[in-house]
Amino acid sequence: MEGKLLCLNRINCGFSYKSYPIIRPCSSSPSSASSIQGVVSCSMKSYKLSELSFAEVDRLKARPRIDFSSIFSLVQPIVDDVHSRGDDAVKHYTARFDKVELDRIVEEVANLPEPELDPCVKEAFDIAYNNIYAFHVAQKTVENTVENMIGVRCKRVARSIGSVGLYVPGGTAVLPSTALMLSIPAKIAGCKIVVLATPPGQDGNICKEVLYCAKKAGVTHILKAGGAQAISAMAWGTDSCPKVEKIFGPGNQYVTAAKMILQNSEAMISIDMPAGPSEVLVIADEYANPAYVAADLLSQAEHGPDSQVVLVIVGDGVDLKAIEEEITKQCQQLPRGEYASKALSHSFTVLARDMLEAISFSNMYAPEHLIVNVKDSEKWESFIENAGSVFLGQWTPESVGDYASGTNHVLPTYGYARMYSGVSLDSFQKYITVQSLTEEGLKNLGPHVETMAEVEGLDAHKRAVTLRLQDILQARQSSITR
């Protein structure tokens, strides 16, 4: 297969905007395995790509709009208050939102005792640590000096960002895996100050699994706070919380709003990437196991009601009824089935005629996670242009990337995979270019620089070269007359 795909270049039919329900609502009686009370409904809409115009396909790729103007109005006062009152403001908002009274908000990790974990849990996190470390340490670049012309040497050197803030969400799910994903590359990069912010439990302590990961990966400080107040404390710095230069990590819309506000403020911080709700796009053909397809869809849907789930069916041989039944059954068995069902209610399935059409749509959608569960999946890798992370074949669930394969799970969402990459070792470094010229190098290059500076009317630029060239010429003439 050669060349690259044009997005849906074969779709030219009109669109009647019909919906084809392919997943029936789940049974109204919850299973004994679920803690959900009442009805849990799991349903998605379905559209045929061959019946869509370009404009209608474009609308399908659009994510639900977030009204950040109203969120900014709620978050800005928190940002300002933390800037003004520091630790006291963080304590206030932690008591208000998390219902936890804290005497101090920051702990130095080196002073905290080693948490006790179940041996199986410890082994799982150790394996994940090893794989994530191996994948990210392999991203180190070898310093390379290039002599562009005789006497003109250039190179690019990596330097760590001095202080970084890592946000690990709490809320409806504890995410120690995120602590690993963010702190390991920070450690490899050599960041000197690493502040990990995460909401405290009701006892005022940090989740022991998060603490274990933080200690193992070299975190220096733990900020016991979440939400906009945590982001603000790391951005501005407080009496107890070191100021950081870059903030990483996923979070809800208030966390995202705080990051957006602060990166454009006097706090002078940068952020990892724009963020939105978690999402997955699954491409499945007739060889895909319906149970696997359903499980992969639900694994993202259970993150929250705003998660984005898209199924792309390839060809006519896919057993949609079997997928429907699996989603119904598995959704009912999930403790977080209510979240999953709400996510599915605004998600959809598209029916593609073949893999070319399926991948074209995926490239347009630019999902955070892309699962390619089709026969000979590896041969389609070169056609994938836009995705945060890709999972090839029936034995590669998205869950392995979320936890322990080694790749990073902090990825661009909301379509930003078109122009952003996921977190990597590079995210924790900046690059400095270095050039060094010999006398001969300036003689070779200098006249061309003089010409270009003259064209641009920048006489001081030209003079900086001219003075040196004149001195070189005079020195040569003096040596000849001796």
Side-chain angles (χ1 to χ4, degrees):
M1 299 179 184
E2 297 180 355
K4 301 298 180 183
L5 296 178
L6 295 176
C7 288
L8 299 161
N9 59 352
R10 297 186 308 166
I11 295 177
N12 51 23
C13 299
F15 175 59
S16 57
Y17 213 81
K18 297 177 181 176
S19 291
Y20 302 87
I22 63 168
I23 302 173
R24 289 189 297 269
C26 295
S27 168
S28 60
S29 57
S31 71
S32 58
S34 174
S35 62
I36 306 299
Q37 300 296 317
V39 177
V40 177
S41 175
C42 303
S43 60
M44 295 167 67
K45 292 181 179 180
S46 155
Y47 307 101
K48 289 185 178 180
L49 286 176
S50 60
E51 296 182 356
L52 300 175
S53 69
F54 282 106
E56 285 133 2
V57 170
D58 195 59
R59 284 199 291 271
L60 264 188
K61 76 174 185 183
R63 276 61 164 184
R65 293 291 181 187
I66 299 175
D67 181 13
F68 272 112
S69 60
S70 61
I71 298 172
F72 285 152
S73 66
L74 296 173
V75 171
Q76 185 69 62
I78 297 174
V79 170
D80 294 340
D81 195 19
V82 173
H83 188 199
S84 175
R85 297 197 297 129
D87 288 352
D88 288 340
V90 176
K91 291 177 183 178
H92 167 76
Y93 292 112
T94 301
R96 176 179 171 185
F97 297 129
D98 298 316
K99 312 302 180 187
V100 180
E101 300 282 348
L102 295 174
D103 292 327
R104 59 183 182 186
I105 61 171
V106 174
E107 302 283 357
E108 292 192 19
V109 177
N111 297 333
L112 296 175
E114 195 74 30
E116 294 185 7
L117 300 184
D118 180 278
C120 291
V121 174
K122 182 178 180 297
E123 181 184 16
F125 282 108
D126 287 347
I127 292 295
Y129 176 94
N130 292 339
N131 289 346
I132 297 165
Y133 190 96
F135 184 74
H136 287 77
V137 79
Q139 296 170 22
K140 283 189 172 182
T141 56
V142 178
E143 191 174 294
N144 183 33
T145 299
V146 179
E147 189 166 24
N148 298 321
M149 58 194 305
I150 295 175
V152 180
R153 296 187 299 273
C154 299
K155 64 181 178 179
R156 186 170 179 255
V157 297
R159 297 290 184 266
S160 63
I161 296 173
S163 57
V164 295
L166 317 178
Y167 187 80
V168 176
T172 62
V174 178
L175 300 176
S177 58
T178 300
L180 288 178
M181 295 290 174
L182 295 175
S183 57
I184 290 174
K187 178 180 182 178
I188 296 169
C191 301
K192 294 178 177 62
I193 295 176
V194 180
V195 181
L196 187 152
T198 193
Q202 291 301 302
D203 61 357
N205 293 320
I206 297 302
C207 162
K208 61 183 180 180
E209 290 84 6
V210 171
L211 177 57
Y212 177 78
C213 294
K215 287 182 74 71
K216 189 175 182 68
V219 170
T220 59
H221 300 75
I222 289 183
L223 170 61
K224 297 189 291 184
Q229 62 270 26
I231 303 299
S232 302
M234 292 189 289
W236 294 118
T238 69
D239 289 342
S240 64
C241 182
K243 174 178 169 44
V244 304
E245 293 162 331
K246 187 173 183 179
I247 295 178
F248 299 80
N252 62 23
Q253 56 194 5
Y254 302 103
V255 169
T256 299
K259 289 167 73 175
M260 294 168 67
I261 289 171
L262 285 158
Q263 75 167 335
N264 294 298
S265 75
E266 295 178 359
M268 287 288 291
I269 61 150
S270 66
I271 64 173
D272 46 2
M273 68 191 79
S278 185
E279 57 193 34
V280 68
L281 186 148
V282 178
I283 299 177
D285 66 3
E286 60 185 301
Y287 300 101
N289 186 322
Y292 298 170
V293 173
D296 288 337
L297 293 169
L298 290 169
S299 70
Q300 281 303 298
E302 75 171 349
H303 271 296
D306 56 356
S307 296
Q308 300 296 296
V309 176
V310 179
L311 173 61
V312 180
I313 294 297
V314 181
D316 298 325
V318 180
D319 190 344
L320 295 181
K321 183 178 179 182
I323 296 175
E324 167 192 346
E325 291 172 350
E326 281 293 334
I327 292 181
T328 298
K329 179 176 70 175
Q330 294 183 36
C331 184
Q332 280 286 22
Q333 295 170 350
L334 292 174
R336 296 171 66 88
E338 188 172 19
Y339 292 121
S341 68
K342 288 179 180 177
L344 291 171
S345 69
H346 57 73
S347 299
F348 59 91
T349 295
V350 294
L351 312 178
R353 290 173 291 189
D354 54 32
M355 277 297 292
L356 294 176
E357 194 169 74
I359 293 185
S360 291
F361 178 78
S362 177
N363 282 334
M364 180 179 287
Y365 190 82
E368 177 189 16
H369 305 97
L370 170 60
I371 297 175
V372 185
N373 191 348
V374 302
K375 185 179 181 181
D376 300 326
S377 57
E378 289 81 4
K379 74 181 184 180
W380 297 102
E381 179 188 342
S382 64
F383 289 87
I384 298 168
E385 298 287 349
N386 302 320
S389 192
V390 179
F391 305 81
L392 297 175
Q394 65 171 330
W395 306 118
T396 317
E398 184 267 329
S399 309
V400 299
D402 265 357
Y403 291 108
S405 67
T407 61
N408 207 290
H409 78 200
V410 181
L411 302 165
T413 64
Y414 220 68
Y416 283 107
R418 296 185 195 93
M419 70 290 288
Y420 281 88
S421 304
V423 164
S424 67
L425 180 61
D426 278 354
S427 305
F428 294 84
Q429 298 175 322
K430 71 268 190 179
Y431 288 87
I432 304 169
T433 55
V434 180
Q435 46 261 294
S436 175
L437 274 65
T438 63
E439 180 180 302
E440 184 179 8
L442 187 61
K443 284 175 60 182
N444 292 332
L445 183 60
H448 305 296
V449 174
E450 287 179 308
T451 299
M452 295 176 71
E454 188 173 349
V455 168
E456 294 188 352
L458 298 175
D459 291 347
H461 282 67
K462 179 182 178 181
R463 187 178 297 112
V465 174
T466 302
L467 291 174
R468 288 172 168 84
L469 291 178
Q470 288 173 347
D471 286 347
I472 291 171
L473 180 60
Q474 289 175 4
R476 289 289 176 90
Q477 290 173 343
S478 296
S479 65
I480 292 173
T481 58
R482 287 188 188 135

